[in-house]
């Protein structure tokens, strides 16, 4: 189907063009809906297993690990995973990766500083979650209102302010 331009002319959509029907709600294919439900199930299992494993590890007798160490190591793993994905996106070219990181982190330092505030609050929240799960039964912790909504609203992440 040809697209009608402002002057009434028609042009064939180029590669990567999105049809008007694809933007309408309810037009997702069955594969997309299935992927949404699979993603939801994986996230539910991941979240429940995370809570249970942390609770188990924090209630074992003997020396306990520091919650801050666990939070920092989790963030380091997330950072390394992101770097690996960026490396794959840059097709294994280290020079392009370094240039991209320099541009995204150092040159656009204002955006980096904007992300520093929510990330510090997120780190504090994760430390407090370790304290909470160490002192509450797993089921009570799981059904309690999550404090993650407060930092998201305070920093504007829940409302799209940073976009």
């Amino acid at each position: 189907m040809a697209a009608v331009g402002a002057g009434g002319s028609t042009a064939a959509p180029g590669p990567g063009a999105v049809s008007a029907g694809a933007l309408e709600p309810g037009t997702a294919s069955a594969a997309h809906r299935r992927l949404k439900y699979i993603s939801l199930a994986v996230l539910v299992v991941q979240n429940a297993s995370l809570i249970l494993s942390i609770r188990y590890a924090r209630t074992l007798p003997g020396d306990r690990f520091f919650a801050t160490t666990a939070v920092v190591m989790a963030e380091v793993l997330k950072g390394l995973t992101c770097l690996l994905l960026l490396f794959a996106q840059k097709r294994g070219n280290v020079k392009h990766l370094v240039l991209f990181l320099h541009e995204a982190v150092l040159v656009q330092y204002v955006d980096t500083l904007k992300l520093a505030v929510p990330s510090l609050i997120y780190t504090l929240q994760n430390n407090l979650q370790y304290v909470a799960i160490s002192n509450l039964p797993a089921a009570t912790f799981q059904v309690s209102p999550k404090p993650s909504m407060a930092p998201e609203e305070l920093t504007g992440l829940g409302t799209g302010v940073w976009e």
Side-chain angles (χ1 to χ4, degrees), residues 64-146:
R64 285 201 272 182
F65 57 89
F66 291 118
T68 53
T69 304
V71 170
V72 168
M73 289 308 297
E75 296 306 316
V76 166
L77 284 174
K78 288 178 193 177
L80 290 175
T81 303
C82 289
L83 284 175
L84 182 65
L85 290 173
L86 281 172
F87 184 68
Q89 187 180 29
K90 299 297 178 188
R91 304 198 191 291
N93 190 331
V94 176
K95 183 178 179 181
H96 286 148
L97 176 65
V98 170
L99 289 173
F100 174 78
L101 290 175
H102 180 267
E103 173 73 22
V105 177
L106 298 177
V107 174
Q108 298 177 2
Y109 68 93
V110 174
D111 291 338
T112 303
L113 291 175
K114 284 180 185 178
L115 291 174
V117 174
S119 62
L120 290 174
I121 294 172
Y122 178 74
T123 303
L124 175 65
Q125 171 202 340
N126 283 342
N127 281 304
L128 292 174
Q129 281 186 333
Y130 272 93
V131 172
I133 201 162
S134 298
N135 296 310
L136 291 173
T140 305
F141 178 81
Q142 191 72 357
V143 297
S144 299
K146 298 294 182 213

